[in-house]
Amino acid sequence: MIKMQKTYDPKDFEERIYRSWMDHGAFTPDREQDKKEGKKPFTIVMPPPNVTGNLHMGHAMNNTLQDILTRYKRLKGFSALWIPGSDHASISTEVKVVEKLRKEGKTKESLGREAFIGEAWKWTEEYGGNIKNQLKKLGVSCDWSRERFTLDEGLTEAVEEFFMRLYDKGLIYRGNRIINWCPHDKTAISDAEVEHEEEDGKMWTFRYPIDGEDDAIFISTTRPETIPGDLAVAVNPDDDRYRDYVGKDVILPLFDRKIPIISDSYVESEFGTGAVKITPSHDPNDFGVGERHGLGQLLIMDETAHLNENAGKYAGMERDEARKAIVADMDEAGYLVKVEDHHHAIGHCERCKTAIEPMLSLQWFVAMEELAKPALKAYEDGKLHFIPERFGKIYTHWLENIRDWCISRQLWWGHRIPVYYCDDCGEVIVSKEEVTECPACHSHRLHQDEDTLDTWFSSALWPFSTMGWPEKTEDLDFYYPTDVLVTGYDIIFFWVIRMVFSAIELTGEVPFTDVYLTGLIRDEQGRKMSKSLGNGIDPLEVIDQYGADALRFTLVTGTTPGNDVRFSYKRVESNRNFCNKLWNASRFVLMNLPEDFKNADVQEDKLHGEDRWILTRLDETVRDVEAKIEKYDIGLAAEAVHDFIWDEYCDWYIEMVKPRLYGDDIDDREVVYGVLLDVLEKILVMLHPFMPFITEEIYSFMPSTEGELIASAWPESGRYNYGEDVKGIAAVQEAIRGIRNAKAEMDIEPHRKSKLYVLTDDAERRELYRDMEGHFVNLANITSIEFADDRDDISDDVLSVVVEKAELFLPMKDLVDYHKEAERLDREIGKTRSEIERAEKKLANENFVNKAKPEVVQKERDKLAMHRENLENMEERMAFVRAQLDA
C-alpha cells in the first residue's frame, strides 16, 4: 500500500493533480453520453475577466463559488458545464496599448487603424494568458476546451447579428443626445460606467437681468463654466414667486444674449433660489427640458473638456480654468450674488477616475423602453431570482427608470459598428458584410463608421453566444438557458440587466434562473482593496504560501450572499491548519490498516454506540450540506463540513475508537476499519467542492476507491438513523467536556487521573455512563465510575460538574498533590499577609486618610477587606491540606 507523505505540503501535488484532471478531460462533459444516461444539464458561464488582467481577490472568490457549485452538481450526477472566457475590454486594453506606443515615441493616429489593431492583438496575445493560468492554480474546473473570447469569430458574428436585428426593429438609432463623455479617454461611456463620488463643492448664485425692466431673477448653479451654453432660465410652474416672470426674457450676463424664462416641473423649488439655468447641450435633465420647449442646442466644449468658439473669450480654456474666469468676471460685473458650500455627487469615469462631462454628441443608441418591459416582467413573474432577494428592488428600479443606452465608443479596439455611409448621397447601410456599392446611388465611395461598440454590447450576449448562437448548436439546445450567474453586486447594472433583456429579445428565454450576487473583498479593517491604499493582496502569493485549498476555504467561509467580506491571514492560517488536521487524521486511519488490507464494509450488525453515532451524524451532515448548497448558503455549507470533520470525526470518533484499533479483538478492528474508511471517503467527497486538491490527493490513497474523486458520486443519505445513540453520545460528550473544563478552570493538568462519582436518579443515564465507561477512561482520564445514591456519600473535597440529569464529582485527592499544594498555599499566604500589613500601615497614616481623595481611600479599604477574606480562605484550605497530609 502506497503511504501518504508525513506532512501536508500542497506544493507536492496541486499542480500534478490539476494536470491530471486536464489530461483526463475531467472538466469536459460528454454531452451525448450524458443525454443517453438521462443526466440533467447544469450550466454556468464565467463572468469574463479582462483578457489582459490579473487575478485579484474578487476574481478568486467569485470563481471559487462557481467552482463549488459546478463540482457539487458534477458529483450529484448532472452534466455540469462551466464555460470560461475573457473580455476584450475595449477601453482598458486600448489605454494600455496607447501608453505602450507613447513610450516608443508613437501615437495611435500615426500608426493608423489597422496597424494599431495589430498592436492591440499582440498585446492581448502577450498578456492574455495570465489570468487563465492563474485561475488554473486556484483549481477551477471549467471546460477549457470551450473557452471563448468576446472578439473571436463566433462572438463577433453574434454581436453583428444582434445589432442588425435591433436596427431592423427600429430599436437602434443614431442621434444627438446627452452622453457621458470622458475627456481623458476621449470616448462616450454608459451610465453604468460612471462612479458617483460625494464631494464638497460650491453653489454660486448669479443675478440675470430681466430684459427691458429694472429687475432680475437670481439663479443657482454648481457649474458656472457652462453659462456660455445657457439657452433658458427655468422655474417650477407651481412656484408662486416666479409666476409673473414666466414668458419674459433675461439678458445672459457677459454674453448680452436674450434667453427666455420658462416653467417646467423638472425644477425643484427648494434647490437654491428655485430658478435654474438651462444648458441643453451639457446636462441630461436640461436636454429633456430643451426638447420639451424647443430651445435648440449650443455645444460649448470640445472632446478634451476645453471650451470652444461658442464660449467667446473663454474659448481654449480648460473647464476648471473657465469656471474661475467666469466667476471672477461675473463678480467684477456685479452679477455674483453669493457663494455657498455645497455637498454633492460628481460622476467620474470608473476606469481613469476623470470627472465625466455630460455633452451633446452624435452617437448610436439602443432604445430601451420596449426591451426593458419583458426583462422587468420576467422578474415579476418569478422567472428570475436574486440571491439575496433585496437586489431585486435595485433591478426593478433600474429598469423602471432606464434611459436609452449609448452603445458607440470612440475607440478602435473592439467590435466596429457594422454601418456604412455613402459619401455621395448620404445613404446609411447596416451590414455584417463589407459594403462596396451604395444600394441607393450605386456609388463606390463609401466608408464604415469609425466607432466601436460598447464592451457590454458583446458581454450582454455571453450566456448564449458562447454556445454558438446565432447558430442552432447542440450545446445551445442542451445547456441553454444556464442555471445560475455568479457575479459581484457592483455590476448588476452593467451586465446582469443587459444579459436579461438581450436574451429575452434574441432567445425568448431568461439567460439564467438564479443570480447569485457576491460582495466585495475588503481588508481586515473593512477598507476596499486598492492600489492607492497599498492593501491589495495577490491571491497567487497566498496560494504559494498556504495552498489553493486554504485560500478557497477562506474566501467562502464566514460569507453570505451580497455582503462584503474581510480578508485576514489569520483565517487563511486557520484553514491551512484544518488541511493539516484532515491530512493527519487521514494518514492515521490509513497507517493503522494492515499491510494486506483490501476493503472493509460497514458491518451494521456489529456496530458500537460511537459507530452508530458517527454514521448517523454523517448522514445528517450530508443532508445539511446539500440543503445549504442548494439554497446558495455556501459559507454555511462549508462550515458544516468543517465542523463535522474537525469536531466529530477527528476530535471525537477517532479518539473514541483508538482503544479498539489497538485492542486484541481482530473482528472488532475490522468493524472500526469499515466505519473509519466509510466516513472518511464520504467526508472527502463532501469537502471536495470546497477543497478539491487535498481531497483528491487523500482519495488516491484510499484502499476502497477507484478512479478520481472528481468523477465520483455525492454520498447518499437516509441509510443511518440511530437517534438514541446520537443522544447518548451527546450526553457522554457533555460530561467529558464538563470534566475537562472544570480541570482547566482549576489549573489541573488534563492528564491527571481520578475516580468519577456520579449522582443521578435517572436509570437510563446510569446505564449509559456504565456502558460508556471506557470513553470516560480514555478521554477524561477517569480511573473508574462509581454511582452514589446520596450526596452525603461523597466527600466535600471534590471538584463538581453539573450536567443534564446528573452531577459529577472528582475527588481532589486524586487530582491534587497535597505536598505541592501546601507549598503553594504557604507562598500565597505569605504574600497576602504582606499585602495586609502594607494596607494597614497606609490606612493608619492620617496624612493619607485626610488628604487623599475619598474614592482613593475607599479603594484601599476595599483592597484590605479583600486580602483579609482571601487570607481566611487560604488558611482554612491550608488546615484541610495539612489534615490530608497527616491522615
Side-chain angles (χ1 to χ4, degrees):
M1 184 183 297
I2 301 173
K3 294 182 179 179
M4 292 172 62
Q5 292 291 326
K6 187 175 182 179
T7 56
Y8 164 69
D9 186 351
K11 290 180 181 176
D12 287 343
F13 54 82
E14 286 191 348
E15 189 173 327
R16 165 173 52 81
I17 285 174
Y18 199 87
R19 192 165 54 246
S20 174
W21 286 333
M22 291 284 288
D23 291 345
H24 296 159
F27 309 152
T28 303
D30 187 335
R31 184 188 61 234
E32 295 309 311
Q33 185 60 34
D34 289 349
K35 286 167 75 173
K36 286 178 186 177
E37 293 176 9
K39 288 186 177 183
K40 294 179 181 179
F42 174 80
T43 320
I44 294 183
V45 289
M46 178 187 291
N50 289 358
V51 65
T52 58
N54 284 302
L55 190 72
H56 58 61
M57 279 297 179
H59 289 134
M61 179 175 70
N62 187 285
N63 283 280
T64 296
L65 289 166
Q66 292 176 77
D67 194 45
I68 288 168
L69 292 170
T70 304
R71 287 179 183 272
Y72 166 74
K73 288 293 185 178
R74 192 181 287 124
L75 291 166
K76 287 287 287 180
F78 284 75
S79 182
L81 173 62
W82 180 15
I83 301 176
S86 52
D87 189 275
H88 63 279
S90 53
I91 293 181
S92 299
T93 303
E94 182 150 327
V95 166
K96 288 175 182 174
V97 176
V98 167
E99 178 62 19
K100 171 182 174 287
L101 293 173
R102 186 188 65 78
K103 291 176 181 177
E104 296 171 357
K106 304 172 188 174
T107 66
K108 166 181 163 182
E109 290 74 20
S110 66
L111 254 67
R113 187 176 197 123
E114 284 191 25
F116 177 81
I117 290 173
E119 288 289 328
W121 274 112
K122 285 180 189 175
W123 176 275
T124 299
E125 287 158 7
E126 183 175 353
Y127 296 101
N130 285 1
I131 201 160
K132 175 179 176 179
N133 293 327
Q134 291 163 347
L135 284 168
K136 288 180 177 180
K137 286 188 176 295
L138 189 65
V140 300
S141 63
C142 51
D143 184 357
W144 293 110
S145 71
R146 285 177 166 90
E147 182 184 7
R148 304 305 298 268
F149 176 48
T150 48
L151 273 183
D152 69 28
E153 188 176 339
L155 270 70
T156 297
E157 182 186 352
V159 167
E160 292 174 346
E161 180 68 20
F162 184 30
F163 189 97
M164 293 284 293
R165 291 193 189 187
L166 292 185
Y167 184 82
D168 290 344
K169 289 184 70 172
L171 296 178
I172 283 184
Y173 65 92
R174 194 183 191 213
N176 281 300
R177 293 287 185 276
I178 293 289
I179 49 90
N180 303 303
W181 184 264
C182 176
H184 177 270
D185 293 337
K186 297 179 185 176
T187 183
I189 60 174
S190 69
D191 290 344
E193 294 166 297
V194 177
E195 290 181 345
H196 292 276
E197 297 177 9
E198 296 290 327
E199 293 183 7
D200 292 321
K202 301 291 182 184
M203 184 187 292
W204 290 266
T205 298
F206 298 108
R207 181 175 64 85
Y208 280 29
I210 305 295
D211 182 36
E213 298 182 17
D214 188 19
D215 195 4
I217 192 167
F218 290 23
I219 65 97
S220 297
T221 182
T222 59
R223 301 204 65 202
E225 66 273 20
T226 62
I227 285 175
D230 287 0
L231 294 180
V233 170
V235 297
N236 190 288
D238 298 325
D239 193 334
D240 293 337
R241 294 174 295 174
Y242 299 114
R243 188 159 288 157
D244 294 338
Y245 286 83
V246 177
K248 296 181 179 182
D249 292 331
V250 298
I251 303 299
L252 183 63
L254 307 182
F255 291 89
D256 200 27
R257 189 174 75 237
K258 283 198 291 187
I259 58 175
I261 301 174
I262 60 175
S263 66
D264 196 282
S265 57
Y266 147 70
V267 180
E268 296 177 7
S269 300
E270 297 77 23
F271 178 81
T273 62
V276 296
K277 59 195 253 357
I278 300 299
T279 317
S281 298
H282 292 278
D283 183 278
N285 294 310
D286 290 7
F287 178 84
V289 174
E291 290 268 284
R292 288 192 289 276
H293 296 270
L295 298 177
Q297 298 291 335
L298 184 61
L299 191 67
I300 61 161
M301 287 190 203
D302 64 18
E303 64 177 16
T304 64
H306 285 71
L307 273 65
N308 63 19
E309 66 278 3
N310 292 327
K313 74 173 195 175
Y314 306 103
M317 291 185 183
E318 194 276 329
R319 55 186 169 177
D320 290 338
E321 180 189 359
R323 171 182 291 185
K324 293 174 184 175
I326 289 172
V327 169
D329 288 349
M330 292 286 263
D331 187 19
E332 185 178 348
Y335 295 117
L336 177 62
V337 178
K338 62 179 177 178
V339 184
E340 300 169 278
D341 291 332
H342 182 64
H343 189 74
H344 58 160
I346 302 293
H348 293 76
C349 173
E350 59 110 16
R351 290 179 181 83
C352 68
K353 309 307 177 186
T354 304
I356 62 102
E357 183 60 46
M359 189 182 292
L360 184 74
S361 182
L362 182 62
Q363 302 283 346
W364 285 94
F365 295 85
V366 175
M368 286 307 308
E369 186 177 357
E370 184 178 328
L371 293 169
K373 288 176 182 176
L376 185 59
K377 189 173 187 301
Y379 173 69
E380 292 170 343
D381 291 348
K383 295 178 181 177
L384 186 68
H385 308 103
F386 286 92
I387 300 100
E389 291 182 5
R390 68 178 184 272
F391 285 99
K393 293 180 181 177
I394 298 173
Y395 175 88
T396 299
H397 175 78
W398 188 261
L399 284 172
E400 288 175 342
N401 297 278
I402 202 161
R403 298 197 307 165
D404 286 357
W405 174 19
C406 176
I407 56 170
S408 46
R409 297 289 180 269
Q410 289 61 56
L411 302 167
W412 286 353
W413 175 246
H415 296 100
R416 193 169 180 180
I417 291 175
V419 174
Y420 296 80
Y421 306 98
C422 177
D423 296 335
D424 290 326
C425 73
E427 181 75 5
V428 177
I429 309 109
V430 177
S431 172
K432 292 192 288 184
E433 306 298 329
E434 184 180 359
V435 179
T436 57
E437 182 178 321
C438 174
C441 71
H442 304 292
S443 168
H444 294 283
R445 296 196 324 118
L446 299 105
H447 70 276
Q448 187 175 353
D449 197 300
E450 291 292 323
D451 291 350
T452 55
L453 289 163
D454 180 9
T455 296
W456 300 102
F457 193 86
S458 54
S459 299
L461 315 181
W462 190 249
F464 46 94
S465 63
T466 50
M467 296 187 215
W469 186 93
E471 300 298 321
K472 293 182 178 179
T473 66
E474 293 288 333
D475 269 1
L476 202 60
D477 180 61
F478 186 59
Y479 290 112
Y480 183 81
T482 69
D483 291 88
V484 58
L485 174 77
V486 181
T487 189
Y489 66 66
D490 52 332
I491 60 171
I492 186 172
F493 321 120
F494 287 89
W495 195 37
V496 177
I497 286 171
R498 288 168 180 166
M499 280 190 288
V500 175
F501 72 66
S502 301
I504 293 173
E505 172 69 20
L506 298 173
T507 71
E509 298 179 274
V510 291
F512 27 71
T513 306
D514 298 328
V515 180
Y516 179 109
L517 294 163
T518 65
L520 304 176
I521 299 282
R522 298 186 179 274
D523 68 10
E524 287 188 79
Q525 299 175 45
R527 300 174 303 175
K528 190 174 180 179
M529 291 186 179
S530 67
K531 288 181 181 177
S532 59
L533 290 174
N535 62 345
I537 296 171
D538 184 351
L540 293 186
E541 290 181 6
V542 180
I543 290 172
D544 185 62
Q545 189 173 353
Y546 298 98
D549 289 325
L551 173 61
R552 288 168 62 110
F553 216 70
T554 302
L555 292 171
V556 300
T557 48
T559 64
T560 52
N563 292 321
D564 295 347
V565 58
R566 295 188 182 192
F567 180 88
S568 84
Y569 276 103
K570 286 182 181 177
R571 291 180 56 232
V572 184
E573 288 169 6
S574 174
N575 290 318
R576 165 67 187 247
N577 292 341
F578 174 51
C579 291
N580 271 324
K581 182 89 168 180
L582 175 62
W583 185 269
N584 293 335
S586 303
R587 188 168 177 272
F588 170 82
V589 170
L590 298 174
M591 278 176 57
N592 278 281
L593 299 176
E595 281 294 327
D596 58 349
F597 184 83
K598 299 297 181 186
N599 192 13
D601 295 325
V602 173
Q603 301 178 55
E604 202 163 350
D605 58 332
K606 297 180 181 179
L607 299 176
H608 289 215
E610 61 268 20
D611 304 327
R612 292 189 290 270
W613 163 73
I614 195 66
L615 289 168
T616 302
R617 284 294 302 124
L618 171 67
D619 209 294
E620 291 169 350
T621 303
V622 169
R623 290 199 302 274
D624 182 36
V625 171
E626 197 171 315
K628 284 180 166 66
I629 294 177
E630 294 289 351
K631 291 192 298 182
Y632 298 106
D633 288 330
I634 293 173
L636 295 178
E639 288 167 16
V641 181
H642 171 281
D643 293 349
F644 177 78
I645 294 171
W646 189 299
D647 299 337
E648 298 183 86
Y649 185 68
C650 296
D651 283 357
W652 283 103
Y653 182 69
I654 288 178
E655 296 304 319
M656 282 178 164
V657 300
K658 277 182 178 178
R660 294 164 63 195
L661 270 179
Y662 302 146
D664 297 328
D665 189 335
I666 296 173
D667 290 339
D668 191 43
R669 284 209 300 267
E670 290 286 335
V671 174
V672 175
Y673 296 153
V675 177
L676 278 170
L677 290 170
D678 184 68
V679 177
L680 179 56
E681 182 180 335
K682 290 179 172 63
I683 277 172
L684 295 174
V685 179
M686 261 199 303
L687 184 61
H688 178 73
F690 307 94
M691 290 183 157
F693 289 113
I694 188 174
T695 51
E696 187 73 79
E697 179 70 358
I698 296 171
Y699 189 85
S700 69
F701 293 101
M702 296 285 286
S704 55
T705 58
E706 293 180 3
E708 292 181 314
L709 170 52
I710 192 173
S712 63
W714 185 260
E716 293 182 9
S717 59
R719 178 177 174 183
Y720 303 110
N721 186 21
Y722 297 109
E724 289 305 311
D725 290 287
V726 171
K727 291 178 185 176
I729 293 294
V732 172
Q733 289 173 326
E734 180 195 17
I736 292 172
R737 271 193 293 262
I739 292 168
R740 289 172 174 173
N741 292 339
K743 284 183 175 181
E745 287 170 9
M746 294 292 291
D747 290 326
I748 297 169
E749 296 97 329
H751 66 270
R752 289 198 74 91
K753 298 181 182 296
S754 74
K755 183 179 280 190
L756 175 65
Y757 292 95
V758 177
L759 182 64
T760 179
D761 56 6
D762 187 285
E764 289 184 0
R765 189 53 51 100
R766 281 187 177 225
E767 189 64 28
L768 173 68
Y769 285 179
R770 189 174 285 116
D771 290 344
M772 297 286 176
E773 184 172 358
H775 295 320
F776 285 91
V777 172
N778 180 36
L779 301 175
N781 287 302
I782 299 301
T783 54
S784 63
I785 297 178
E786 190 171 309
F787 295 92
D789 295 320
D790 192 279
R791 177 66 180 85
D792 293 338
D793 297 338
I794 303 169
S795 165
D796 289 334
D797 188 33
V798 290
L799 187 63
S800 66
V801 178
V802 178
V803 295
E804 186 182 6
K805 297 182 181 180
E807 192 170 359
L808 315 177
F809 302 94
L810 305 172
M812 289 298 289
K813 64 183 178 64
D814 292 348
L815 300 171
V816 177
D817 183 328
Y818 284 115
H819 287 285
K820 288 184 178 180
E821 179 69 357
E823 291 173 2
R824 184 187 72 81
L825 284 169
D826 193 50
R827 288 193 301 272
E828 291 299 321
I829 288 170
K831 287 179 185 176
T832 305
R833 282 176 175 160
S834 296
E835 285 296 320
I836 290 171
E837 186 179 348
R838 183 200 61 78
E840 286 176 340
K841 283 181 180 178
K842 197 169 189 178
L843 290 168
N845 185 335
E846 290 186 7
N847 281 333
F848 170 73
V849 174
N850 294 329
K851 293 181 180 180
K853 291 181 179 179
E855 59 267 29
V856 174
V857 176
Q858 186 58 47
K859 188 175 181 181
E860 198 63 34
R861 285 176 177 147
D862 291 341
K863 279 184 185 178
L864 178 59
M866 179 188 70
H867 291 316
R868 284 171 174 168
E869 184 180 350
N870 287 344
L871 179 62
E872 184 180 343
N873 291 335
M874 284 188 284
E875 286 176 336
E876 186 179 323
R877 174 69 180 163
M878 178 65 92
F880 176 83
V881 170
R882 283 177 176 156
Q884 298 301 313
L885 289 171
D886 293 340

